[in-house]
Amino acid sequence: MPAAISFHAVLEPGGPSFMPTQVVAVPEAVCTALGRSTKRVVCTIGRRSGRLGLLPATGSGRYLLLRKDLCQQLGLAIGQGLTLEREDN
């Protein structure tokens, strides 16, 4: 796995229907670098680290789930841009 993976995204509403939450669409190149079997990713957003679920999107692609409490702690709102960086495991 690459030593550093970083990307910019926009916080969107979404998630599984039974658990509406905030999500970030993961670019295809990042999905490829992470590997298709990856289910969890430790990321830094702002100055906070967290273990995020990496789920398949409807149709194609993948997305990261961001818990409501994490978004509140970071001061993130739907539609806001952010940068995520995968931490070395």
Side-chain angles (χ1 to χ4, degrees):
M1 203 178 297
I5 298 174
S6 179
F7 67 97
H8 302 285
V10 175
L11 188 64
E12 303 173 19
S17 60
F18 65 89
M19 185 178 66
T21 186
Q22 295 76 220
V23 300
V24 171
V26 179
E28 186 60 35
V30 174
C31 289
T32 300
L34 291 172
R36 292 287 173 195
S37 63
T38 302
K39 303 279 189 231
R40 299 265 180 205
V41 181
V42 178
C43 292
T44 299
I45 306 168
R47 294 185 176 176
R48 292 206 40 128
S49 293
R51 189 170 182 224
L52 306 177
L54 183 61
L55 300 168
T58 303
S60 66
R62 297 175 87 187
Y63 63 89
L64 290 168
L65 286 175
L66 279 78
R67 297 178 320 276
K68 184 178 181 178
D69 64 327
L70 176 62
C71 291
Q72 288 174 339
Q73 291 170 6
L74 293 169
L76 295 173
I78 299 295
Q80 184 173 349
L82 62 148
T83 299
L84 293 97
E85 184 171 339
R86 185 191 63 91
E87 294 184 3
D88 292 332
N89 297 347

